[in-house]
Coordinates of all heavy atoms in Angstrom, one line a residue:
M108 N 0.8 -1.2 0.0 CA 0.0 0.0 0.0 C 0.9 1.2 0.0 O 1.8 1.3 0.8 CB -0.9 0.0 1.3 CG -1.7 1.2 1.4 SD -2.8 1.1 2.9 CE -4.4 1.1 2.1
P109 N 0.6 2.2 -0.9 CA 1.5 3.4 -0.9 C 1.4 4.2 0.3 O 0.4 4.2 1.0 CB 0.9 4.2 -2.1 CG -0.2 3.4 -2.7 CD -0.4 2.2 -1.9
D110 N 2.4 4.9 0.6 CA 2.5 5.8 1.8 C 1.7 7.0 1.6 O 2.0 7.9 0.8 CB 4.0 6.1 2.1 CG 4.1 7.0 3.4 OD1 3.1 7.2 4.1 OD2 5.3 7.5 3.6
S111 N 0.5 7.1 2.3 CA -0.4 8.3 2.0 C 0.1 9.5 2.7 O -0.4 10.6 2.5 CB -1.8 7.9 2.5 OG -1.7 7.7 3.9
S112 N 1.2 9.4 3.6 CA 1.7 10.6 4.2 C 2.7 11.4 3.4 O 3.1 12.5 3.7 CB 2.3 10.3 5.6 OG 3.4 9.4 5.4
A113 N 3.2 10.7 2.3 CA 4.1 11.4 1.4 C 3.4 12.4 0.6 O 2.4 12.2 0.1 CB 4.8 10.4 0.5
P114 N 4.0 13.6 0.6 CA 3.4 14.7 -0.2 C 3.4 14.4 -1.7 O 4.3 13.8 -2.2 CB 4.2 15.9 0.2 CG 5.5 15.4 0.6 CD 5.3 14.1 1.2
A115 N 2.4 14.9 -2.3 CA 2.3 14.7 -3.8 C 3.3 15.7 -4.4 O 3.6 16.7 -3.9 CB 0.9 15.1 -4.3
P116 N 3.9 15.3 -5.5 CA 4.9 16.2 -6.2 C 4.2 17.5 -6.6 O 3.1 17.5 -7.0 CB 5.4 15.4 -7.4 CG 4.6 14.1 -7.5 CD 3.7 14.0 -6.3
R117 N 4.9 18.5 -6.4 CA 4.4 19.9 -6.8 C 5.0 20.2 -8.2 O 6.2 20.0 -8.4 CB 4.9 20.9 -5.8 CG 4.4 22.3 -6.1 CD 4.6 23.2 -5.0 NE 4.2 24.5 -5.5 CZ 4.8 25.7 -5.2 NH1 5.9 25.6 -4.4 NH2 4.4 26.8 -5.7
F118 N 4.2 20.7 -9.1 CA 4.7 21.0 -10.4 C 4.6 22.5 -10.6 O 3.7 23.2 -10.1 CB 3.8 20.3 -11.5 CG 4.0 18.8 -11.5 CD1 3.3 18.0 -10.7 CD2 5.0 18.3 -12.3 CE1 3.5 16.6 -10.7 CE2 5.2 16.9 -12.4 CZ 4.5 16.1 -11.6
L119 N 5.6 23.1 -11.3 CA 5.7 24.5 -11.6 C 5.6 24.7 -13.1 O 6.1 23.9 -13.9 CB 7.0 25.0 -11.0 CG 7.3 24.8 -9.6 CD1 8.7 25.3 -9.2 CD2 6.3 25.6 -8.7
A120 N 5.1 25.9 -13.4 CA 5.1 26.3 -14.8 C 6.6 26.6 -15.3 O 7.4 27.1 -14.5 CB 4.3 27.5 -15.0
P121 N 6.9 26.4 -16.5 CA 8.2 26.7 -17.0 C 8.7 28.2 -16.7 O 9.8 28.4 -16.4 CB 8.1 26.5 -18.5 CG 7.1 25.5 -18.6 CD 6.1 25.8 -17.6
A122 N 7.7 29.1 -16.7 CA 8.1 30.5 -16.4 C 8.6 30.7 -15.0 O 9.5 31.4 -14.7 CB 6.9 31.4 -16.7
Q123 N 7.9 29.9 -14.1 CA 8.4 30.0 -12.7 C 9.8 29.4 -12.5 O 10.6 29.9 -11.8 CB 7.4 29.2 -11.8 CG 6.0 29.8 -11.7 CD 5.0 28.9 -11.0 OE1 4.8 27.8 -11.5 NE2 4.5 29.3 -9.9
V124 N 10.0 28.3 -13.2 CA 11.3 27.6 -13.1 C 12.4 28.5 -13.8 O 13.5 28.7 -13.2 CB 11.3 26.3 -13.8 CG1 12.7 25.6 -13.8 CG2 10.3 25.3 -13.2
A125 N 12.0 29.2 -14.9 CA 13.0 30.1 -15.6 C 13.3 31.2 -14.6 O 14.5 31.6 -14.5 CB 12.3 30.6 -16.8
E126 N 12.4 31.7 -13.9 CA 12.7 32.8 -13.0 C 13.6 32.4 -11.8 O 14.5 33.1 -11.5 CB 11.4 33.4 -12.4 CG 11.6 34.6 -11.5 CD 10.3 35.2 -11.0 OE1 9.2 35.0 -11.7 OE2 10.3 35.9 -10.0
L127 N 13.3 31.2 -11.3 CA 14.1 30.6 -10.2 C 15.6 30.4 -10.7 O 16.5 30.7 -9.9 CB 13.5 29.3 -9.7 CG 12.3 29.4 -8.9 CD1 11.7 28.0 -8.7 CD2 12.6 30.0 -7.6
L128 N 15.7 29.9 -11.9 CA 17.1 29.6 -12.4 C 17.8 30.7 -13.1 O 18.9 30.7 -13.4 CB 17.0 28.4 -13.3 CG 16.5 27.1 -12.7 CD1 16.5 25.9 -13.7 CD2 17.4 26.7 -11.5
G129 N 17.0 31.8 -13.4 CA 17.6 32.9 -14.1 C 17.9 32.6 -15.6 O 18.9 33.1 -16.1
I130 N 17.0 31.8 -16.2 CA 17.2 31.4 -17.6 C 15.9 31.7 -18.4 O 14.9 32.1 -17.8 CB 17.7 29.9 -17.8 CG1 16.6 29.0 -17.2 CG2 19.0 29.7 -17.1 CD1 17.0 27.5 -17.4
E131 N 15.9 31.5 -19.7 CA 14.7 31.7 -20.5 C 13.8 30.4 -20.4 O 14.2 29.3 -20.2 CB 15.1 31.9 -21.9 CG 16.0 33.1 -22.2 CD 15.2 34.4 -21.9 OE1 14.0 34.5 -22.2 OE2 15.8 35.4 -21.3
V132 N 12.5 30.7 -20.7 CA 11.5 29.6 -20.7 C 11.9 28.5 -21.7 O 11.8 27.3 -21.4 CB 10.1 30.2 -21.0 CG1 9.1 29.0 -21.1 CG2 9.7 31.1 -19.8
D133 N 12.4 28.9 -22.9 CA 12.8 27.9 -23.9 C 13.9 27.0 -23.3 O 13.9 25.8 -23.7 CB 13.2 28.6 -25.1 CG 12.1 29.3 -25.9 OD1 10.9 29.0 -25.6 OD2 12.4 30.1 -26.8
E134 N 14.8 27.5 -22.5 CA 15.9 26.7 -22.0 C 15.3 25.7 -21.0 O 15.8 24.6 -20.9 CB 16.9 27.6 -21.3 CG 17.7 28.5 -22.3 CD 18.6 29.4 -21.5 OE1 19.8 29.0 -21.2 OE2 18.2 30.6 -21.3
V135 N 14.3 26.1 -20.2 CA 13.7 25.2 -19.3 C 13.0 24.0 -20.0 O 13.3 22.9 -19.6 CB 12.6 25.9 -18.4 CG1 11.8 24.9 -17.6 CG2 13.2 27.0 -17.5
I136 N 12.3 24.3 -21.1 CA 11.7 23.3 -21.8 C 12.7 22.4 -22.5 O 12.6 21.1 -22.5 CB 10.7 23.9 -22.9 CG1 9.5 24.5 -22.1 CG2 10.2 22.8 -23.8 CD1 8.6 25.3 -23.0
A137 N 13.8 23.0 -22.9 CA 14.9 22.1 -23.5 C 15.5 21.2 -22.4 O 15.9 20.1 -22.7 CB 16.0 23.1 -24.1
L138 N 15.7 21.7 -21.2 CA 16.2 20.9 -20.1 C 15.2 19.7 -19.8 O 15.7 18.6 -19.5 CB 16.4 21.7 -18.8 CG 17.6 22.7 -18.9 CD1 17.6 23.7 -17.7 CD2 18.9 21.9 -19.0
V139 N 13.9 20.0 -19.9 CA 12.9 18.9 -19.7 C 13.0 17.9 -20.8 O 13.1 16.7 -20.5 CB 11.5 19.5 -19.5 CG1 10.5 18.4 -19.5 CG2 11.4 20.4 -18.3
T140 N 13.1 18.3 -22.0 CA 13.1 17.4 -23.1 C 14.4 16.6 -23.2 O 14.4 15.5 -23.7 CB 12.8 18.1 -24.5 OG1 13.8 19.1 -24.7 CG2 11.4 18.7 -24.5
A141 N 15.5 17.2 -22.6 CA 16.8 16.5 -22.6 C 16.8 15.6 -21.4 O 17.8 14.8 -21.2 CB 17.9 17.5 -22.5
G142 N 15.8 15.6 -20.5 CA 15.8 14.8 -19.3 C 16.6 15.3 -18.1 O 16.8 14.6 -17.2
R143 N 17.1 16.5 -18.2 CA 17.8 17.1 -17.1 C 16.9 17.6 -16.0 O 17.4 17.8 -14.8 CB 18.8 18.1 -17.6 CG 19.8 17.5 -18.6 CD 20.9 18.3 -19.0 NE 21.8 18.5 -17.9 CZ 22.7 19.5 -17.9 NH1 22.8 20.3 -18.9 NH2 23.5 19.6 -16.9
L144 N 15.7 18.0 -16.3 CA 14.6 18.3 -15.4 C 13.5 17.4 -15.6 O 13.2 17.0 -16.7 CB 14.2 19.8 -15.6 CG 15.1 20.9 -15.2 CD1 14.5 22.3 -15.6 CD2 15.3 20.9 -13.6
R145 N 12.8 17.0 -14.5 CA 11.7 16.1 -14.7 C 10.4 16.9 -14.9 O 10.2 17.8 -14.1 CB 11.5 15.2 -13.4 CG 12.6 14.1 -13.3 CD 12.3 13.2 -12.1 NE 12.2 13.9 -10.8 CZ 13.2 14.3 -10.1 NH1 14.4 14.1 -10.4 NH2 12.9 14.9 -8.9
G146 N 9.7 16.6 -15.9 CA 8.5 17.3 -16.2 C 7.6 16.6 -17.2 O 8.0 15.5 -17.7
A147 N 6.5 17.1 -17.5 CA 5.6 16.5 -18.4 C 4.6 17.6 -18.9 O 4.5 18.6 -18.3 CB 4.8 15.4 -17.7
Q148 N 3.9 17.2 -20.0 CA 2.8 18.1 -20.5 C 1.5 17.6 -19.8 O 1.1 16.4 -20.0 CB 2.7 18.0 -22.0 CG 3.9 18.7 -22.7 CD 3.7 18.8 -24.1 OE1 3.4 17.8 -24.8 NE2 3.9 19.9 -24.7
L149 N 0.9 18.5 -19.0 CA -0.2 18.1 -18.2 C -1.4 19.0 -18.6 O -1.2 20.1 -19.0 CB 0.0 18.3 -16.7 CG 1.2 17.5 -16.2 CD1 1.5 17.9 -14.7 CD2 1.0 16.0 -16.3
G150 N -2.6 18.5 -18.4 CA -3.8 19.3 -18.6 C -4.3 19.3 -20.0 O -3.8 18.6 -20.9
S151 N -5.4 20.0 -20.2 CA -6.0 20.1 -21.5 C -6.4 21.6 -21.7 O -7.3 22.1 -21.0 CB -7.2 19.2 -21.6 OG -7.8 19.3 -22.9
P152 N -5.8 22.3 -22.6 CA -4.7 21.8 -23.5 C -3.4 21.6 -22.7 O -3.2 22.1 -21.6 CB -4.5 23.0 -24.4 CG -4.9 24.2 -23.6 CD -6.0 23.7 -22.7
A153 N -2.6 20.7 -23.2 CA -1.4 20.3 -22.5 C -0.4 21.4 -22.4 O -0.2 22.1 -23.4 CB -0.8 19.1 -23.3
R154 N 0.1 21.6 -21.2 CA 1.1 22.6 -20.9 C 2.2 22.0 -20.1 O 2.0 21.1 -19.3 CB 0.4 23.7 -20.1 CG -0.6 24.5 -20.9 CD -0.9 25.8 -20.2 NE -1.7 26.6 -21.1 CZ -3.0 27.0 -20.8 NH1 -3.5 26.7 -19.6 NH2 -3.7 27.7 -21.7
W155 N 3.4 22.4 -20.4 CA 4.6 21.9 -19.7 C 4.5 22.2 -18.2 O 4.2 23.4 -17.9 CB 5.9 22.4 -20.3 CG 6.3 21.8 -21.5 CD1 6.2 22.3 -22.8 CD2 6.8 20.5 -21.7 NE1 6.6 21.4 -23.7 CE2 7.0 20.3 -23.1 CE3 7.1 19.4 -20.8 CZ2 7.5 19.1 -23.6 CZ3 7.6 18.3 -21.3 CH2 7.8 18.1 -22.7
R156 N 4.8 21.3 -17.4 CA 5.0 21.5 -15.9 C 6.3 20.7 -15.5 O 6.6 19.7 -16.0 CB 3.8 20.9 -15.2 CG 2.5 21.7 -15.4 CD 2.6 23.1 -15.0 NE 1.4 23.9 -15.2 CZ 1.2 24.8 -16.1 NH1 2.2 25.1 -16.9 NH2 0.1 25.4 -16.3
V157 N 7.0 21.3 -14.6 CA 8.2 20.8 -14.1 C 8.1 20.4 -12.6 O 7.6 21.2 -11.8 CB 9.4 21.8 -14.3 CG1 10.7 21.3 -13.7 CG2 9.5 22.3 -15.7
E158 N 8.5 19.2 -12.3 CA 8.5 18.7 -10.9 C 9.5 19.6 -10.1 O 10.6 19.7 -10.4 CB 8.9 17.2 -10.9 CG 8.6 16.6 -9.5 CD 8.9 15.1 -9.5 OE1 8.7 14.5 -10.5 OE2 9.4 14.7 -8.5
E159 N 8.9 20.1 -9.0 CA 9.7 21.1 -8.2 C 11.0 20.4 -7.7 O 12.1 21.1 -7.7 CB 8.9 21.6 -7.1 CG 9.5 22.7 -6.2 CD 8.6 23.2 -5.2 OE1 7.8 22.4 -4.6 OE2 8.7 24.4 -4.9
T160 N 10.9 19.2 -7.2 CA 12.1 18.6 -6.6 C 13.2 18.3 -7.6 O 14.4 18.2 -7.3 CB 11.7 17.2 -6.0 OG1 11.1 16.4 -7.0 CG2 10.8 17.4 -4.8
S161 N 12.9 18.3 -8.9 CA 13.9 18.1 -9.9 C 14.8 19.3 -10.1 O 15.9 19.2 -10.6 CB 13.3 17.7 -11.3 OG 12.7 18.8 -11.9
I162 N 14.3 20.5 -9.6 CA 15.2 21.7 -9.7 C 16.4 21.6 -8.8 O 17.5 21.9 -9.2 CB 14.3 22.9 -9.4 CG1 13.2 23.1 -10.4 CG2 15.2 24.2 -9.3 CD1 12.1 24.1 -10.0
G163 N 16.1 21.1 -7.6 CA 17.3 20.9 -6.7 C 18.2 19.8 -7.2 O 19.5 20.0 -7.1
D164 N 17.7 18.8 -7.8 CA 18.6 17.7 -8.4 C 19.4 18.3 -9.5 O 20.6 18.0 -9.6 CB 17.7 16.6 -8.9 CG 17.0 15.8 -7.8 OD1 17.3 16.0 -6.6 OD2 16.0 15.1 -8.1
Y165 N 18.8 19.1 -10.3 CA 19.5 19.8 -11.4 C 20.6 20.7 -10.9 O 21.7 20.7 -11.4 CB 18.5 20.6 -12.3 CG 19.2 21.4 -13.4 CD1 19.8 20.9 -14.5 CD2 19.2 22.8 -13.2 CE1 20.4 21.7 -15.4 CE2 19.9 23.6 -14.1 CZ 20.4 23.0 -15.3 OH 21.0 23.8 -16.2
L166 N 20.3 21.5 -9.9 CA 21.3 22.4 -9.3 C 22.4 21.6 -8.7 O 23.6 22.0 -8.8 CB 20.7 23.3 -8.3 CG 19.7 24.4 -8.9 CD1 19.0 25.2 -7.8 CD2 20.4 25.3 -9.9
D167 N 22.1 20.5 -8.0 CA 23.2 19.6 -7.5 C 24.1 19.1 -8.6 O 25.3 19.1 -8.5 CB 22.6 18.5 -6.7 CG 21.9 18.9 -5.4 OD1 22.2 20.0 -4.9 OD2 21.2 18.1 -4.9
E168 N 23.5 18.7 -9.7 CA 24.2 18.2 -10.9 C 25.1 19.3 -11.4 O 26.3 19.0 -11.8 CB 23.2 17.7 -11.9 CG 23.8 17.3 -13.2 CD 22.7 17.0 -14.2 OE1 21.8 16.3 -14.0 OE2 22.8 17.6 -15.4
Q169 N 24.6 20.5 -11.5 CA 25.4 21.6 -12.1 C 26.5 22.0 -11.2 O 27.6 22.3 -11.6 CB 24.5 22.8 -12.3 CG 23.5 22.7 -13.4 CD 24.1 22.5 -14.7 OE1 24.2 21.4 -15.3 NE2 24.7 23.6 -15.3
T170 N 26.3 21.9 -9.8 CA 27.4 22.2 -8.9 C 28.5 21.2 -9.0 O 29.6 21.5 -9.0 CB 26.8 22.2 -7.4 OG1 25.7 23.2 -7.4 CG2 27.8 22.5 -6.4
E171 N 28.1 19.9 -9.1 CA 29.1 18.8 -9.2 C 29.9 19.0 -10.5 O 31.1 18.8 -10.5 CB 28.4 17.5 -9.1 CG 29.4 16.3 -9.3 CD 30.4 16.2 -8.2 OE1 30.3 16.8 -7.1 OE2 31.4 15.5 -8.4
E172 N 29.2 19.3 -11.6 CA 29.9 19.5 -12.9 C 30.9 20.7 -12.8 O 32.0 20.6 -13.2 CB 28.9 19.8 -14.0 CG 29.5 19.9 -15.3 CD 28.4 20.1 -16.4 OE1 27.3 19.5 -16.3 OE2 28.7 20.8 -17.4
A173 N 30.5 21.8 -12.1 CA 31.4 22.9 -11.9 C 32.6 22.6 -11.1 O 33.7 23.0 -11.4 CB 30.6 24.1 -11.3
R174 N 32.4 21.8 -10.0 CA 33.5 21.3 -9.2 C 34.5 20.5 -10.0 O 35.7 20.7 -9.9 CB 32.9 20.5 -8.0 CG 34.0 20.1 -7.0 CD 33.4 19.1 -5.9 NE 33.2 17.8 -6.5 CZ 34.1 16.9 -6.7 NH1 35.4 17.2 -6.4 NH2 33.8 15.7 -7.2
R175 N 33.9 19.6 -10.8 CA 34.8 18.7 -11.6 C 35.6 19.5 -12.6 O 36.8 19.2 -12.8 CB 34.0 17.6 -12.2 CG 33.5 16.6 -11.3 CD 32.7 15.5 -12.0 NE 32.2 14.5 -11.0 CZ 31.8 13.4 -11.3 NH1 31.7 13.0 -12.6 NH2 31.3 12.5 -10.4
M176 N 34.9 20.5 -13.2 CA 35.6 21.3 -14.2 C 36.7 22.1 -13.6 O 37.8 22.3 -14.1 CB 34.6 22.2 -14.9 CG 33.7 21.5 -15.9 SD 34.6 20.5 -17.2 CE 35.4 21.8 -18.1
A177 N 36.5 22.6 -12.4 CA 37.5 23.4 -11.6 C 38.7 22.5 -11.3 O 39.8 23.0 -11.5 CB 36.9 24.0 -10.4
L178 N 38.4 21.3 -10.9 CA 39.5 20.4 -10.6 C 40.3 20.1 -11.9 O 41.6 20.0 -11.9 CB 39.0 19.1 -10.0 CG 38.5 19.2 -8.5 CD1 37.8 17.9 -8.1 CD2 39.6 19.6 -7.6
W179 N 39.6 19.9 -13.0 CA 40.2 19.6 -14.2 C 41.1 20.8 -14.7 O 42.3 20.6 -15.1 CB 39.2 19.3 -15.3 CG 39.8 18.9 -16.6 CD1 40.3 17.7 -17.0 CD2 40.1 19.8 -17.7 NE1 40.8 17.7 -18.3 CE2 40.7 19.0 -18.7 CE3 39.8 21.1 -18.0 CZ2 41.0 19.5 -20.0 CZ3 40.2 21.7 -19.2 CH2 40.8 20.9 -20.2
R180 N 40.6 22.0 -14.5 CA 41.4 23.2 -14.9 C 42.6 23.3 -14.0 O 43.7 23.7 -14.5 CB 40.5 24.4 -14.8 CG 39.6 24.6 -16.0 CD 39.0 26.0 -16.1 NE 38.1 26.2 -15.0 CZ 36.8 25.9 -14.9 NH1 36.2 25.2 -15.9 NH2 36.0 26.2 -13.9
Q181 N 42.5 23.0 -12.8 CA 43.7 23.1 -11.9 C 44.7 22.0 -12.3 O 45.9 22.3 -12.4 CB 43.3 22.8 -10.4 CG 42.5 23.9 -9.8 CD 42.0 23.5 -8.4 OE1 42.1 22.4 -8.0 NE2 41.5 24.5 -7.7
A182 N 44.3 20.8 -12.6 CA 45.2 19.8 -13.0 C 45.8 20.2 -14.4 O 47.0 19.9 -14.6 CB 44.5 18.4 -13.1
D183 N 45.0 20.7 -15.3 CA 45.5 21.1 -16.6 C 46.5 22.2 -16.5 O 47.6 22.2 -17.1 CB 44.4 21.5 -17.5 CG 44.8 21.6 -19.0 OD1 45.5 20.7 -19.4 OD2 44.4 22.6 -19.6
A184 N 46.3 23.2 -15.6 CA 47.2 24.3 -15.4 C 48.5 23.9 -14.8 O 49.5 24.4 -15.1 CB 46.5 25.4 -14.5
A185 N 48.4 22.9 -13.9 CA 49.6 22.4 -13.3 C 50.5 21.6 -14.3 O 51.7 21.4 -14.0 CB 49.2 21.4 -12.1
S186 N 50.0 21.3 -15.4 CA 50.8 20.5 -16.4 C 51.6 21.4 -17.4 O 52.3 21.0 -18.2 CB 49.9 19.5 -17.2 OG 49.1 20.3 -18.0
F187 N 51.4 22.8 -17.2 CA 52.1 23.7 -18.1 C 53.6 23.7 -17.7 O 53.9 23.8 -16.5 CB 51.5 25.1 -18.0 CG 50.2 25.2 -18.6 CD1 49.1 25.8 -17.9 CD2 49.9 24.8 -19.9 CE1 47.9 25.9 -18.5 CE2 48.7 24.9 -20.5 CZ 47.6 25.4 -19.7
P188 N 54.5 23.7 -18.7 CA 55.9 23.8 -18.3 C 56.3 25.0 -17.5 O 57.2 24.9 -16.7 CB 56.6 23.8 -19.7 CG 55.6 23.3 -20.6 CD 54.3 23.6 -20.1
E189 N 55.6 26.1 -17.7 CA 56.0 27.3 -16.9 C 55.8 27.1 -15.4 O 56.4 27.7 -14.5 CB 55.1 28.5 -17.2 CG 55.1 28.9 -18.7 CD 54.1 28.1 -19.6 OE1 52.9 28.0 -19.2 OE2 54.6 27.5 -20.6
V190 N 54.9 26.1 -15.1 CA 54.6 25.8 -13.7 C 55.7 24.9 -13.1 O 56.2 25.2 -12.0 CB 53.2 25.2 -13.5 CG1 53.0 24.7 -12.1 CG2 52.1 26.1 -14.0
W191 N 56.1 23.9 -13.8 CA 57.1 23.0 -13.3 C 58.5 23.3 -13.6 O 59.4 22.6 -13.2 CB 56.8 21.5 -13.6 CG 55.9 21.1 -14.7 CD1 54.6 21.1 -14.6 CD2 56.2 20.7 -16.0 NE1 54.0 20.6 -15.8 CE2 55.1 20.4 -16.6 CE3 57.4 20.5 -16.7 CZ2 55.0 19.9 -17.9 CZ3 57.4 20.0 -18.0 CH2 56.2 19.7 -18.6
G192 N 58.8 24.4 -14.3 CA 60.1 24.8 -14.6 C 60.8 24.1 -15.7 O 60.2 23.3 -16.4
P193 N 62.1 24.4 -15.9 CA 62.8 23.7 -17.1 C 62.9 22.2 -16.8 O 63.1 21.8 -15.7 CB 64.1 24.4 -17.1 CG 64.3 25.1 -15.8 CD 62.9 25.3 -15.2
Q194 N 62.9 21.5 -17.9 CA 63.1 20.0 -17.8 C 64.5 19.7 -17.4 O 65.5 20.4 -17.9 CB 62.7 19.3 -19.1 CG 61.3 19.1 -19.3 CD 61.0 18.2 -20.4 OE1 61.8 18.0 -21.3 NE2 59.8 17.6 -20.4
R195 N 64.7 18.7 -16.6 CA 66.0 18.3 -16.2 C 66.3 16.9 -16.9 O 65.4 16.1 -17.1 CB 66.1 18.1 -14.7 CG 65.9 19.4 -14.0 CD 66.0 19.2 -12.5 NE 65.5 20.5 -11.9 CZ 65.5 20.7 -10.7 NH1 66.0 19.7 -9.8 NH2 65.1 21.8 -10.2
S196 N 67.5 16.8 -17.3 CA 67.9 15.5 -18.0 C 68.4 14.5 -17.0 O 69.0 14.7 -16.1 CB 69.0 15.8 -19.0 OG 68.5 16.7 -20.0

């Protein structure tokens, strides 16, 4: 039997998500169609709605990606000859 105490997912309009993320509505819909945000076309006529909890998941994913890119840039910068000095034979 499903847990009836669990709250139902809350869905937001793409314009609300765009405002929260500081991006355009078209970008929100592109993120949904790419599977990076969870959403669906609901109602009649069908309109895009985005699951609110997926926004936090998306931001976590973006934060992790930024962290990894920063580490990669640090490692890449450390491999420049100017950093390690002249080669020794």
